[in-house]
Amino acid sequence: MRAHAFLKGEDRLTLAWVGPDPALAVDAQGSVRKLPPTLARRDASGQPLEAVIGSIGRTLV
């Protein structure tokens, strides 16, 4: 993420991932959560999530 453009009425960034694809997300109980596709503009305003994210990362091999 290079920059984030806030929309009118927004004042904080709740979640961001900086790292290699694919990023994986889980909720607080460890259930997998779907993330939006990564094809957004670099300086975009982001996308709302379908569910609360507890942690984000990637698979370690």
Side-chain angles (χ1 to χ4, degrees):
M1 183 173 114
R2 190 178 101 193
H4 181 82
F6 289 111
L7 299 175
K8 186 175 182 175
E10 294 180 336
D11 62 358
R12 65 181 153 197
L13 181 65
T14 304
L15 175 70
W17 166 254
V18 178
D21 280 337
L24 305 171
V26 295
D27 65 14
Q29 290 74 37
S31 298
V32 176
R33 292 291 175 222
K34 184 177 177 182
L35 293 173
T38 59
L39 301 175
R41 293 185 349 236
R42 285 174 47 147
D43 297 340
S45 60
Q47 297 175 346
L49 298 174
E50 296 176 0
V52 174
I53 301 296
S55 182
I56 189 166
R58 65 184 190 103
T59 303
L60 299 175
V61 289

